[in-house]
Amino acid sequence: QLLPLLEAGPVFHEVYILFPDPWWKKKHHKRRLFKEGFLDFLSHVVVPGGKVILKTDVEGYKDEVLALLSECATFDVASEFLSESWFTNLPQSRRERELVNAGLPIFPIVMKRNNQETKTELFESPEN
């Protein structure tokens, strides 16, 4: 049921990706959610002006996502949403509560979809 909805065009105003598994071993990095092509996919399903909120407890993963973002024409880092007060108003996941209770850092990124047109197709046509 989700595919026809996504084929119709951008539908999400906010997408939350909370503490994705960073797949520690180098040979498993291909399984990570944030990799080449994922931001292109998100640009097809997030409306212009919409946000993608990522929280991770792995600083290196945050750095990799920021590197991907720097190469992406359709999303910008939305620093206006990085204030502590904005994040404290969001519900906490079980993982986030564990990190807060343990005094460990959380690295948030808020990406805002800009008005740039996407250059790729979301789904290939049957002829391809």
Side-chain angles (χ1 to χ4, degrees):
Q1 293 177 351
L2 187 59
L3 288 178
L5 178 67
L6 297 180
E7 287 175 331
V11 293
F12 298 113
H13 293 272
E14 292 182 339
V15 173
Y16 292 83
I17 302 169
L18 306 175
F19 307 99
D21 186 338
W23 293 96
W24 296 103
K25 293 181 182 179
K26 182 118 176 120
K27 67 180 183 178
H28 295 150
H29 283 193
K30 63 187 175 200
R31 294 187 178 121
R32 288 182 171 183
L33 185 60
F34 277 91
K35 58 185 174 187
E36 188 175 332
F38 185 61
L39 288 173
D40 289 335
F41 167 76
L42 286 174
S43 68
H44 285 281
V45 300
V46 175
V47 299
K51 295 184 285 300
V52 175
I53 296 94
L54 167 71
K55 291 182 183 181
T56 181
D57 56 328
V58 180
E59 189 170 17
Y61 195 69
K62 174 205 68 157
D63 294 339
E64 288 181 29
V65 171
L66 289 174
L68 286 171
L69 260 173
S70 71
E71 299 171 9
C72 180
T74 54
F75 282 96
D76 302 308
V77 175
S79 56
E80 68 269 24
F81 295 105
L82 291 178
S83 70
E84 182 76 25
S85 62
W86 190 79
F87 277 101
T88 55
N89 291 327
L90 296 176
Q92 288 185 336
S93 67
R94 178 191 53 80
R95 175 70 178 152
E96 187 170 5
R97 284 190 302 273
E98 291 171 358
L99 293 167
V100 168
N101 291 338
L104 296 171
I106 297 169
F107 304 100
I109 301 174
V110 180
M111 302 161 238
K112 190 170 184 182
R113 174 72 166 87
N114 60 35
N115 292 321
Q116 284 279 34
E117 291 293 320
T118 58
K119 295 185 177 169
T120 60
E121 294 294 320
L122 179 56
F123 299 100
E124 290 187 25
S125 64
E127 298 85 46
N128 292 342

